[in-house]
Amino acid sequence: MALPNVFSDDGLEWRLTNFNLQCSIPSSRPLCLLLHPIFPSAPMSAQPRDLNSPAAMSPTVEPDRLPGHFQHVLVLRHGDRSDEGVDGSWWTRVPRPWDAPLADAGRIKALDTGKKLRAELGFPIHRVVTSPFLRCVETARELIAGLSTEDDGDAVNVGGGDDGNPADSSTSRIKVSIENGMCEILNDIAMWYHPTGRELWGFDIKELETSFPSGAVDLAPHRVYKELPQWGESESGARDRYLHTIHSLADRYPQENLLFVTHGEGVKVTASAYWKEARGHKIKPDYLGRAHLKRQIVWNGISFTAKRFEIATNPNETGIKHEPLRHARTGVCTCSL
């Protein structure tokens, strides 16, 4: 159903202009978060979010200090997994063969990637959101170590970025949380080896959080999906889940730049939604390949307008390949792993 140009809801006036929703908030009302413009395939909430609720995190930068800035979102595939190229006995020798950790090479590359991002991005990463799968959690941990400027004598790119905020990151600033919405597609195609009994399935979030640096874990995170998806999830269902999670958390923290650590399918979905040149192509992200999005946030007192996300860096330069479908190899794609 098409939205009218101007409509009211619970005392708020909403205006639709050029695919952007702008909200006028009476001074008597609490600070509310503006809905993001239309995000492909992502469901939209019917109500603005209340930033004064206990679950909402204090903004990294106060709105009145940001009359206009760009919010950046990176969606990155985990590093090299330890079960690639193993013999058949490997599956019987490990307690959770469906949840492979990183290979040693994957840890080294993830740390190097964090350092490279710190040196080259030109803006800070405020929040890391990771899939609960071990290979993603370990990737996130190494990325945070590489992004941190603590105990680093080199002043690497710590001046002001071109998007209106300082460019350094540190473990005192970065917050990390584990989000079920960024997990692997849960079906027999994406996970060729999976638990056979319900008692073997699941993640101990509290235990996984202990692997992160002290003070980095968000103790009251906003979790978009409190439970894992049901087994047998469809590809289209997973696409909606990935986009809804990214969209919801970007809206939740509009003052922050976010880094999502996920699986190949999550990166592919993000790139295909915004990379016009790749439409009609097969997309495959390498290990640690990433999609980089950005959108403009314009503040007007306690309300703001969020423009539509767009590709900020050519994915060909960030480890994402694409080729016409007619030239793509046939067979099952395992890039979601």
Side-chain angles (χ1 to χ4, degrees), residues 96-113:
R96 292 161 62 94
W98 50 271
D99 190 19
L102 288 182
D104 290 341
R107 293 188 181 89
I108 294 171
K109 291 177 184 177
L111 178 63
D112 289 343
T113 297

Side-chain angles (χ1 to χ4, degrees), residues 270-292:
T270 306
S272 64
Y274 290 103
W275 192 13
K276 295 179 181 179
E277 291 79 2
R279 290 174 184 171
H281 290 64
K282 179 180 178 180
I283 299 174
K284 183 172 181 179
D286 296 331
Y287 287 130
L288 298 169
R290 64 189 183 274
H292 176 193

